[in-house]
Amino acid sequence: MLKIEGSVKNYAWGGYGYIPMLLGKSFDGKTPFAEVWFGDHKAGPSVLDDGSFLDQVISDNPLENLGEPVCRKYGGRLPFLLKILDVRAPLSIQVHPSKEQAEEGYKREESLSIDPALRNYKDDNHKPELMLALSDFYLLHGFRQRDNALSDLKKFSELDYFARLYEEKSLKDFVEFIFLQDKSLLEEKLRPLFMRLYSDYVNYSLSKTDNFYWFMRAAVQCEEDKRSFDAGLIMTLIMNLMYVKTGDVVFQGSGVPHAYLEGQNIELMANSDNVVRGGLTVKHVDVAELLKITEFNTIDPSTVKPSSVSENCLEYRVPVKDFILREYQLKAGEKLSAPLEKGPCIWLLFSGELEQTGCLSFSKAPDAFFQKPGETGEFIARTHVRLFRASSEL
Ligand SMILES: [Zn+2]
């Protein structure tokens, strides 16, 4: 197994201390640490002990590093990307494309030589995502049932304009309408509610399980970024607000609008960076593309239930084959044989210390390893250990 180091992303929405503390790095309380990537994505490949990059190592010898089934199916790259996220400020509302949409969109944008900052499609892959909460976690996930959305839109007279529109229009037409509205109209229509709720928000009278808390938090963020209010604020009221408790898992398939709001998680996704954004961001928003790939269904959110592989291992499977997440919890002294697989795996030692038997190397959190197909390893836990493994279904 090859020891790998994750690639850190300092996006503005990231927290200041969680990731550097996890990685044992120093921090200044001002530089945001948003994500750590474990994988071979070109935008942030993991680094080996000798300084080489995992994407290079894999492309030098794809058959040995990925195995024949993965090479055939995924074209010489890892099927998945594993990340740790620390969400301090709400992320943009976003939707990820299906495989077909990504292939078409990437080809189209390549042929148009679009400015990289304006691109939706950085690769030709879909990006379904699974997240396991490492703390209390809040996110927006899919569209709420109509009655629930309408009851919030009718709660304050300041939203009458939007409540009426929502009643008159289909969900798709309503979303299209708010995204195509002039920013000054949205500003004018939403400012009074912002003023009304402001003191409740700053006095902590709004609960984080109330959609209006996130409406206000996003509105305050607009003010801080000196952006005008956008359609994303109304989306906070017509999307499901999900509270996910530590250890629970959520899956987001293609076409489902979502936004991470607060907390830390482990994310496992198809190996892609394709995001189409829909407001609450200073980044590029492509409304036409957003409307094209969004699925306009209301959904009741649910968590992914694990199956038990063994006494110390839970496995999370989702409706795509690109990735499977396993979580191992080992007691001190307990042994683990890394199962032999036909494809590659990435291991992340999240907490505790492990000893690889047969050699003198010790590992402690947050070490990560790349396991080639056909490779195995024997470990003994020196302390209580929490270990994650990413693999794919072949
Ligand atoms: Zn996403």
Side-chain angles (χ1 to χ4, degrees):
M1 284 196 199
L2 297 170
K3 187 160 173 266
I4 54 171
E5 196 172 310
S7 165
V8 174
K9 300 286 173 190
N10 303 99
Y11 306 139
W13 49 261
Y16 301 115
Y18 183 83
I19 286 176
M21 281 199 276
L22 198 70
L23 300 180
K25 289 183 188 295
S26 63
F27 59 102
D28 59 11
K30 285 183 279 193
T31 311
F33 288 78
E35 303 187 352
V36 194
W37 293 16
F38 300 93
D40 69 345
H41 197 283
K42 296 263 176 264
S46 294
V47 185
L48 275 64
D49 268 350
D50 64 3
S52 56
F53 290 99
L54 186 59
D55 59 333
Q56 193 59 50
V57 170
I58 288 176
S59 65
D60 284 349
N61 201 342
L63 213 55
E64 184 193 324
N65 287 297
L66 301 176
E68 191 275 329
V70 166
C71 283
R72 183 168 24 88
K73 207 168 158 203
Y74 298 94
R77 59 189 176 192
L78 274 175
F80 51 78
L81 179 60
L82 182 70
K83 297 182 182 178
I84 297 172
L85 265 70
D86 179 17
V87 181
R88 177 185 51 84
L91 274 72
S92 57
I93 291 169
Q94 51 188 251
V95 184
H96 303 299
S98 67
K99 181 79 179 121
E100 295 72 34
Q101 288 161 339
E103 281 170 2
E104 186 275 319
Y106 181 70
K107 210 166 129 193
R108 176 164 35 92
E109 291 187 353
E110 280 284 287
S111 70
L112 295 172
S113 3
I114 296 175
D115 174 351
L118 300 179
R119 283 189 78 141
N120 295 308
Y121 299 100
K122 299 178 188 75
D123 52 68
D124 66 354
N125 206 4
H126 64 165
K127 190 176 175 260
E129 298 170 326
L130 169 155
M131 59 144 277
L132 182 146
L134 295 171
S135 66
D136 281 347
F137 200 93
Y138 297 89
L139 75 154
L140 296 171
H141 174 89
F143 291 107
R144 297 171 91 178
Q145 294 299 345
R146 237 182 132 68
D147 288 352
N148 298 338
L150 201 56
S151 105
D152 265 356
L153 290 173
K154 286 183 166 176
K155 202 164 177 179
F156 299 105
S157 58
E158 287 85 343
L159 288 173
D160 276 355
Y161 175 76
F162 296 108
R164 262 201 321 278
L165 283 172
Y166 188 85
E167 267 180 319
E168 283 164 13
K169 292 179 183 290
S170 69
L171 180 58
K172 183 171 187 209
D173 289 349
F174 177 78
V175 172
E176 186 170 294
F177 182 86
I178 58 172
F179 274 99
L180 295 176
Q181 275 315 295
D182 196 78
K183 289 264 169 66
S184 60
L185 179 120
L186 291 176
E187 178 76 29
E188 179 200 317
K189 298 281 181 202
L190 294 172
R191 178 72 50 183
L193 181 65
F194 175 73
M195 302 304 285
R196 173 170 175 157
L197 294 177
Y198 192 77
S199 63
D200 283 351
Y201 175 73
V202 294
N203 293 324
Y204 303 103
S205 303
L206 291 173
S207 155
K208 284 184 181 176
T209 54
D210 180 346
N211 288 58
F212 284 101
Y213 172 87
W214 297 102
F215 171 90
M216 286 305 293
R217 179 113 166 228
V220 166
Q221 189 71 50
C222 288
E223 299 273 281
E224 282 173 10
D225 296 345
K226 302 195 174 19
R227 286 181 281 124
S228 55
F229 290 166
D230 67 24
L233 292 181
I234 306 164
M235 293 285 275
T236 64
L237 304 176
I238 64 169
M239 288 173 69
N240 290 298
L241 168 60
M242 255 186 120
Y243 158 68
V244 188
K245 66 176 198 301
T246 310
D248 276 358
V249 167
V250 178
F251 174 69
Q252 267 138 182
S254 57
V256 177
H258 58 279
Y260 289 160
L261 300 170
E262 187 185 271
Q264 287 94 30
N265 68 20
I266 281 193
E267 255 200 321
L268 181 56
M269 64 198 70
N271 193 357
S272 170
D273 201 21
N274 283 330
V275 180
V276 178
R277 295 189 176 83
L280 304 185
T281 179
V282 288
K283 289 189 188 160
H284 173 57
V285 172
D286 185 336
V287 175
E289 199 62 26
L290 179 82
L291 295 171
K292 196 167 99 188
I293 70 165
T294 300
E295 283 187 14
F296 290 94
N297 308 321
T298 55
I299 53 171
D300 292 318
S302 59
T303 53
V304 179
K305 299 289 167 250
S307 57
S308 174
V309 175
S310 62
E311 219 172 74
N312 55 22
C313 176
L314 295 176
E315 182 171 272
Y316 298 88
R317 283 180 185 254
V318 291
V320 295
K321 294 188 169 175
D322 307 54
F323 53 84
I324 301 166
L325 183 70
R326 278 189 180 184
E327 177 177 5
Y328 292 85
Q329 301 254 12
L330 309 176
K331 293 187 201 89
E334 208 171 336
K335 284 187 186 161
L336 171 72
S337 305
L340 207 66
E341 297 288 350
K342 283 194 225 122
C345 301
I346 285 184
W347 292 82
L348 173 63
L349 177 54
F350 185 74
S351 62
E353 289 180 29
L354 273 182
E355 181 182 341
Q356 269 186 286
T357 59
C359 71
L360 291 172
S361 73
F362 299 109
S363 291
K364 60 182 194 326
D367 283 352
F369 298 91
F370 177 73
Q371 180 189 351
K372 292 180 206 177
E375 216 178 8
T376 185
E378 296 278 327
F379 301 100
I380 300 176
R382 285 163 64 97
T383 62
H384 182 272
V385 158
R386 192 176 185 199
L387 186 64
F388 293 97
R389 192 196 75 167
S391 66
S392 49
E393 190 180 328
L394 295 170

